[in-house]
Amino acid sequence: MSSSLTLAVLQQAADRYLQAKEDVAAGWHSPCQYSTPNSRQCQQCPYFKGFIQRLQQRIVYLQHLDNHSFPLCPVTPSKSPYSDEIQQQVIWLYKQSFTLLEIQRLTGVTSKKTLRIWLYDAGLLRRQSGYSKEEQENALVLYETGLTPQQVEEKTGISADAVAKWASDKGISRAKVSYSAEQRQRSLELYQQGKSLAEITAETHVYGPTVRAWAKAKGICPRRKRGRPKIHSDQIRQQCLEEILKNGKTVVQVELETGISCSTLRNWVNNAQQGAL
């Protein structure tokens, strides 16, 4: 008897949920390429969270009609690990024509998706519907030649998400890039010598991550240079630390002024702060 009652209550809850979802979905206006809020990507979308909140409100309303009470699962807003200052730096760098790859390196924001969301919100990136037919065709031509969506984005400024979606909709497959045995051998030699992926690509025209994959498959490790002399003097190091720790400049600003990498500047700052403890 109790089992039948439990099943009946659960069925009522399920019916109430489906009715609430149908009511709320009727007014759903997707701000992205997904027509329904069912994609895995929706989980971090603020619009989707609003959809869930409206859905819960609708369930509460239906519960009051039936005089039943069921616990609700609140949507916990996710806190961004990045400060507003970092977000403003990203926007400023993009306005200065820095690529997303360069912005990642300068700011330490590893997720391109996060960068795109900020740039979308700032009105600096267009949605898929905001590109002309000519821009779309040019992007797809580059994709067909073998470039990844990310590489197309670096060349054209059109988001990789849009390129991938256009290619999928049109059933376009990316041409497989083939490299000669000489390119492969030379790339692995340079990698073993400790050359950077950018330097290897510049000489052999082989995509950097491809070289890394080859090396990993062969068990090749880059040669580490020992006893490397100091690149920057103690005086320059101290000047940079004063700009960051005393004058309040960010490592990105100091890198743009001095050409010293953000990673080097952060190491200096960390060492200085640990030494002061």
Side-chain angles (χ1 to χ4, degrees):
M1 186 70 176
S2 60
S3 298
S4 299
L5 181 59
T6 301
L7 290 174
V9 172
L10 291 175
Q11 184 62 54
Q12 290 175 3
D15 292 341
R16 189 175 295 107
Y17 168 78
L18 293 175
Q19 181 61 50
K21 183 178 180 182
E22 182 178 344
D23 294 342
V24 176
W28 169 263
H29 299 288
S30 175
C32 60
Q33 69 266 31
Y34 301 105
S35 58
T36 57
N38 294 318
S39 173
R40 185 178 300 175
Q41 287 88 341
C42 292
Q43 295 175 5
Q44 299 302 322
C45 175
Y47 296 96
F48 179 69
K49 291 179 181 179
F51 174 86
I52 294 297
Q53 290 171 350
R54 293 195 298 274
L55 174 60
Q56 291 182 345
Q57 292 169 359
R58 185 63 181 169
I59 293 175
V60 170
Y61 172 74
L62 293 175
Q63 284 183 176
H64 290 164
L65 293 182
D66 294 344
N67 294 322
H68 286 297
S69 179
F70 294 97
L72 297 177
C73 181
V75 178
T76 303
S78 58
K79 185 178 180 181
S80 173
Y82 303 107
S83 65
D84 292 338
E85 182 184 7
I86 293 294
Q87 183 173 346
Q88 293 305 315
Q89 288 176 358
V90 168
I91 293 172
W92 181 83
L93 288 169
Y94 190 81
K95 287 181 178 179
Q96 305 304 312
S97 300
F98 284 81
T99 66
L100 292 187
L101 188 62
E102 292 171 329
I103 293 174
Q104 282 181 297
R105 181 176 61 83
L106 291 172
T107 61
V109 179
T110 57
S111 170
K112 280 190 177 180
K113 180 180 178 181
T114 298
L115 295 178
R116 291 191 191 100
I117 290 175
W118 291 345
L119 297 174
Y120 280 136
D121 292 342
L124 298 177
L125 278 183
R126 289 173 285 172
R127 302 289 180 180
Q128 291 178 27
S129 58
Y131 295 105
S132 67
K133 184 177 180 180
E134 182 180 1
E135 288 176 311
Q136 180 177 341
E137 291 176 349
N138 290 337
L140 290 177
V141 167
L142 292 173
Y143 181 82
E144 287 181 293
T145 61
L147 297 183
T148 65
Q150 289 74 20
Q151 289 173 312
V152 175
E153 179 180 70
E154 296 297 336
K155 283 183 172 292
T156 65
I158 299 174
S159 75
D161 293 339
V163 176
K165 182 63 167 55
W166 293 337
S168 176
D169 290 344
K170 293 183 177 295
I172 298 174
S173 58
R174 184 163 54 93
K176 185 176 181 180
V177 179
S178 59
Y179 299 108
S180 66
E182 290 76 11
Q183 285 177 299
R184 184 186 184 99
Q185 181 179 353
R186 181 56 180 161
S187 297
L188 291 175
E189 289 175 354
L190 293 172
Y191 185 85
Q192 193 170 23
Q193 292 172 11
K195 299 292 185 181
S196 68
L197 295 180
E199 291 173 324
I200 296 173
T201 300
E203 179 173 335
T204 65
H205 305 290
V206 177
Y207 185 43
T210 300
V211 178
R212 186 191 291 117
W214 289 345
K216 183 177 181 181
K218 291 278 190 180
I220 297 175
C221 297
R223 183 180 303 162
R224 303 299 181 187
K225 297 179 180 179
R226 297 182 179 180
R228 186 174 60 181
K230 285 186 177 180
I231 300 176
H232 309 291
S233 66
D234 292 337
Q235 181 181 3
I236 293 178
R237 177 175 176 275
Q238 189 60 35
Q239 289 174 352
C240 292
L241 288 174
E242 289 180 358
E243 292 292 336
I244 297 171
L245 299 177
K246 293 185 178 181
N247 299 333
K249 290 187 177 181
T250 65
V251 292
V252 174
Q253 291 173 319
V254 175
E255 182 189 48
L256 293 175
E257 293 173 359
T258 64
I260 300 173
S261 69
C262 282
S263 59
T264 299
L265 293 170
R266 289 192 184 98
N267 286 335
W268 289 351
V269 171
N270 290 336
N271 292 336
Q273 291 174 337
Q274 291 175 2
L277 296 177

